[in-house]
Amino acid sequence: MSSLDAVVAPFSSSAEVALVAETDAQPRGLLMRVLRESGYAVVAASSADQLELALRAGPLLEAASPVAVLGVWFAKRCAGALAVAAARRARAGLHELSVVLIYEQGTLTTVVRPSLGPCHLVAIFEKPLDFNQLSSVVRATSLVHRTRTPPGR
């Protein structure tokens, strides 16, 4: 299976979906494992092209409360694709796309936070990551979405 096939693999629209976009294979793999162990269907991207494809694919457009865990580089490079995905979700009456940003160690105060448009920033983490804390934030975000009505409904 190619990496692009994994991006568009079928998911149930009732599944909790997390997108992990990180260029570094080790933290990407650990994030995927932690989120899968927490019950998430995980879509992964290691390049801007894969992220843009994932943002156009069914899982992130159909899931009730998806969470995107993005390296800050991805958020900057793919801001337009994030905005389009968020707008498509809003038109469908779904919750906004929640985003967790990951900064490289030592860059949190020097790298300007990217504009996320209509996406909802829920947390910012700096490497090295505390995977348990990040998983807790993602689970809490999903819980909030499950307990409130999406906009326009």
Side-chain angles (χ1 to χ4, degrees), residues 50 57 93 118 128:
Q50 288 179 353

Side-chain angles (χ1 to χ4, degrees), residues 21 34 69 75 85 91 96 99 136-137 144:
V34 166
V69 181
R91 280 194 303 274
E96 68 273 7
V99 175
S136 294
V137 166
V144 167

Side-chain angles (χ1 to χ4, degrees), residues 49-134:
D49 289 341
Q50 288 179 353
L51 176 58
E52 290 182 8
L53 179 60
L55 290 168
R56 290 191 306 263
L60 291 167
L61 296 176
E62 298 168 7
S65 57
V67 178
V69 181
L70 307 175
V72 72
W73 177 87
F74 282 101
K76 288 180 174 183
R77 172 74 168 75
C78 300
L82 283 166
V84 168
R88 289 178 70 186
R89 289 185 56 76
R91 280 194 303 274
L94 297 169
H95 287 292
E96 68 273 7
L97 180 61
S98 296
V99 175
V100 175
L101 288 179
I102 299 173
Y103 281 76
E104 293 297 321
Q105 184 174 11
T107 65
L108 187 60
T109 59
T110 60
V111 175
V112 176
R113 185 172 60 125
S115 169
L116 297 174
C119 297
H120 178 68
L121 178 63
V122 294
I124 297 173
F125 286 86
E126 187 174 31
K127 292 180 181 177
L129 297 172
D130 179 333
F131 292 99
N132 290 326
Q133 185 181 17
L134 193 145

